[in-house]
Amino acid sequence: GAGVSQSPRYKVAKRGQDVALRCDPISGHVSLFWYQQALGQGPEFLTYFQNEAQLDKSGLPSDRFFAERPEGSVSTLKIQRTQQEDSAVYLCASSSVGGASNQPQHFGDGTRLSIL
Amino acid sequence: DQQVKQNSPSLSVQEGRISILNCDYTNSMFDYFLWYKKYPAEGPTFLISISSIKDKNEDGRFTVFLNKSAKHLSLHIVPSQPGDSAVYFCAASSTQGGSEKLVFGKGTKLTVNP
């Protein structure tokens, strides 16, 4: 389809393992966002890309979290040395333009990460 | 410090009646507001938005009202249908700060009874 695609849909990892989550934004969308959603909460901002530039990473909870978008399209969120508190749904969103655009963000279905 | 608040965790209405979902915000820099609908195991789906230069935006059965002085917005669904049963999230952003990040409320679970 033409929507935001995330993979895998579900990921189970043991504490201490590294994980990588992938996001394919809507084709041509300039802006890409990652959010973390804990159970019973709203999504919380992690980081923002405009094309390949990471313009805001203020929401990343620790230096174990790293995101990249090297060619301005697909993005990967990597979590190193996972801990149980990293268990959450990780949502990716994209929007068509950057800057003060008043354009809605469109979300993928998320990756549910469980750390054992 | 929660900048976007949805104080009603749940709401139940009869099919055909009006559903009113409320949202309050504290950050006066917010100037763009959105409502998203979320079904279980799916991502949030964009419903409707409003910028701070307006006080009302309408799209079919959905209308969003913005009261800037009260820092309050609401989503009206008329008439409500069983398929509207979902969790509704209010979100806000500031288009002036460079980052377009959204700040979300905790959501309101709407149940529309047949």
Side-chain angles (χ1 to χ4, degrees), chain B residues 72-91:
Chain B
H72 177 82
L73 64 155
S74 60
L75 175 67
H76 292 208
I77 306 173
V78 183
S80 301
Q81 300 173 354
D84 296 330
S85 298
V87 177
Y88 288 78
F89 289 98
C90 169

Side-chain angles (χ1 to χ4, degrees), chain A residues 39-51:
Chain A
L39 194 63
Q41 304 293 316
E44 290 195 0
F45 171 78
L46 293 176
T47 187
Y48 159 55
F49 290 86
Q50 191 174 119
N51 295 307

